[in-house]
Amino acid sequence: PRVESAEGKTPALADGQARQLLDAPDPRTLKGKRDRAILAVLLYHGLRRAELCACRVEDLQERRGVKHLRVHGKGNKLRYVPLHPAAAVRIEDYLAQSGHAGDQSSPLFLALRNPGADRRLSDKGVYSNVVLHYGRALGLTSLPLFGPHAMRAIAATNALEHGADIAKVQEWLGHANIQTTRVYDRRHTQPEDSPTFKVAY
């Protein structure tokens, strides 16, 4: 008989692997600064690739004294995600070097080669030139389905493992249904919690 699993197939990296990925881009170059900011937004906030590409400078906002990122989600739904301090530092560092911080209507992340009319980094650029590029260098591309969506799974799994409420994670990710969020909940599959380690003879 078929065995159904509620767990998603998207890989979730260990904390150490996620840190390696965050630190993989060269912080001395404009591309490296941009890519460090992109990876931080993906890994600290669980954004979809299209949501990240749609961000503009004006979407960096302060609400009730806390920096937020206004996210344009599926179905034209807006949500406001508090900006993680580590991501905020990387974004500010990138904007300081790129020089477009004052252009509120500019895309937050600019293409460095072959820019389109609005200079926005494309979905494909995020996939191949950022996530896969650094993932390949670290040997992570051998994982099945490794890509930008994996960053979303990693962020959600990490938040849940560190005590975030699943309903809050649902809202954070912009999921209409909590069942979709449960796919990212890998807490019940942690090897150290397996009955295997309870057996003693």
Side-chain angles (χ1 to χ4, degrees), residues 40-132:
V41 169
L42 291 172
L43 284 167
Y44 284 114
H45 307 93
L47 266 62
R48 297 176 179 95
R49 182 173 29 155
E51 292 172 342
L52 177 127
C53 292
C55 285
R56 296 191 171 275
V57 174
E58 66 190 358
D59 292 321
L60 293 169
Q61 301 185 354
E62 194 159 306
R63 293 167 61 88
R64 302 173 90 183
V66 177
K67 290 180 181 177
H68 280 69
L69 187 59
R70 181 174 62 181
V71 180
H72 304 266
K74 281 185 175 178
N76 290 325
K77 290 181 183 169
L78 279 180
R79 67 185 190 279
Y80 292 85
V81 178
L83 203 55
H84 191 283
V89 167
R90 288 176 178 224
I91 291 169
E92 286 167 12
D93 193 29
Y94 160 61
L95 288 175
Q97 185 162 345
S98 70
H100 73 285
D103 184 358
Q104 292 294 298
S105 63
S106 171
L108 183 57
F109 297 110
L110 302 177
L112 300 176
R113 289 183 299 181
N114 307 319
D118 67 353
R119 304 181 301 152
R120 178 191 312 272
L121 179 65
S122 69
D123 286 20
K124 185 180 176 189
V126 172
Y127 181 77
S128 56
N129 299 334
V130 181
V131 177
L132 284 189

Side-chain angles (χ1 to χ4, degrees), residues 115-171:
D118 67 353
R119 304 181 301 152
R120 178 191 312 272
L121 179 65
S122 69
D123 286 20
K124 185 180 176 189
V126 172
Y127 181 77
S128 56
N129 299 334
V130 181
V131 177
L132 284 189
H133 174 76
Y134 298 106
R136 195 176 293 116
L138 295 171
L140 302 175
T141 50
S142 60
L143 295 168
L145 300 176
F146 180 80
H149 194 73
M151 307 297 101
R152 192 164 160 81
I154 294 160
T157 301
N158 190 283
L160 289 164
E161 283 177 348
H162 289 95
D165 179 76
I166 195 161
K168 294 282 187 193
V169 174
Q170 174 194 358
E171 183 183 322

Side-chain angles (χ1 to χ4, degrees), residues 6-27:
E7 184 177 304
K9 295 179 175 63
T10 310
L13 300 181
D15 290 357
Q17 291 173 305
R19 278 192 297 273
Q20 283 184 308
L21 189 58
L22 282 165
D23 293 337
D26 185 348

